[in-house]
Amino acid sequence: MTADHTLVLELLHASHAAAQREAPVHPDDDPACQVVLRAAKADADDGGMERLTLLALGTAVCASDLTAVLAEHKNITTQQLIDELVAARRNQGAEDTAMPDLLLAMRTDDPGQAAELLGNLIAGDHDAFLDLIVELGDYAATCVSLLAALEISPVEETLAQLEETVQQFITSKRPPRTGTTGQRQ
């Protein structure tokens, strides 16, 4: 398993496929969880965290970019859309996670802010870090579906644009402030 853009795309595709299913899947059988667990095992075998870190950051780049596109479509700021997401999650009884903070950190002028947030999470709770990666994939898949439902961009077009975004991110090793998906419409 290599630490390149294909791992992020595999997670996005697995998350999107899982979101299309009507019946919930046990986490052990969830394809998105399997992608994250394979990356974790490969990193453990190598004695590092490269795959998981790139998977987290690459998926966060996609999720952040998709959030910006949806916010623009609603004529609100990314912060306002994330505030709506947090409020909706709380109304559903979901616990707070690091995802909203990470999405905002990805949009700042300081790309190190996102890496620091992830580093603190890894040091504090490795399982929460793995859950965050799956959550980012699920959120990105939901955004992809919303873009299609709102007739902003078909699923395959969005996934192709995200592939380009992730390739650019992996090449530069830092989150872009605006990605190719932000240029859709």
Side-chain angles (χ1 to χ4, degrees), residues 2 4-11 163 166:
T2 61
D4 63 14
H5 76 284
T6 58
L7 190 58
V8 174
L9 295 173
E10 185 180 351
L11 177 61
E163 179 173 7
V166 173

Side-chain angles (χ1 to χ4, degrees), residues 25-174:
V25 176
H26 188 277
D28 292 341
D29 299 325
D30 183 349
C33 289
Q34 294 302 314
V35 171
V36 174
L37 291 174
R38 279 196 319 273
K41 182 180 179 339
D43 275 351
D45 290 347
D46 291 346
M49 289 288 294
E50 181 181 8
R51 288 169 189 84
L52 286 174
T53 301
L54 285 175
L55 185 57
L57 286 172
T59 308
V61 165
C62 293
S64 175
D65 199 30
L66 291 164
T67 301
V69 172
L70 288 169
E72 183 178 321
H73 179 74
K74 288 183 71 168
N75 292 319
I76 61 174
T77 66
T78 303
Q79 176 71 55
Q80 289 170 315
L81 184 62
I82 291 173
D83 289 345
E84 287 179 10
L85 169 70
V86 169
R89 289 175 52 84
R90 283 189 182 141
N91 286 342
Q92 295 174 346
E95 294 183 27
D96 289 339
T97 67
M99 188 180 72
D101 293 335
L102 181 58
L103 293 175
L104 288 173
M106 299 302 289
R107 307 299 306 166
T108 68
D109 290 329
D110 180 12
Q113 186 178 357
E116 181 179 342
L117 191 146
L118 288 174
N120 290 338
L121 188 57
I122 293 167
D125 187 344
H126 189 72
D127 287 340
F129 174 64
L130 297 178
D131 290 343
L132 175 65
I133 297 170
V134 173
E135 181 182 14
L136 284 165
D138 290 346
Y139 173 74
T142 299
C143 290
V144 168
S145 295
L146 278 172
L147 290 172
L150 295 170
E151 298 180 352
I152 296 171
S153 177
V155 169
E156 290 307 316
E157 181 180 315
T158 301
L159 291 173
Q161 289 172 336
L162 289 174
E163 179 173 7
E164 186 177 320
T165 298
V166 173
Q167 286 175 326
Q168 289 174 0
F169 166 72
I170 298 294
T171 300
S172 69
K173 299 266 191 204
R174 64 181 181 79

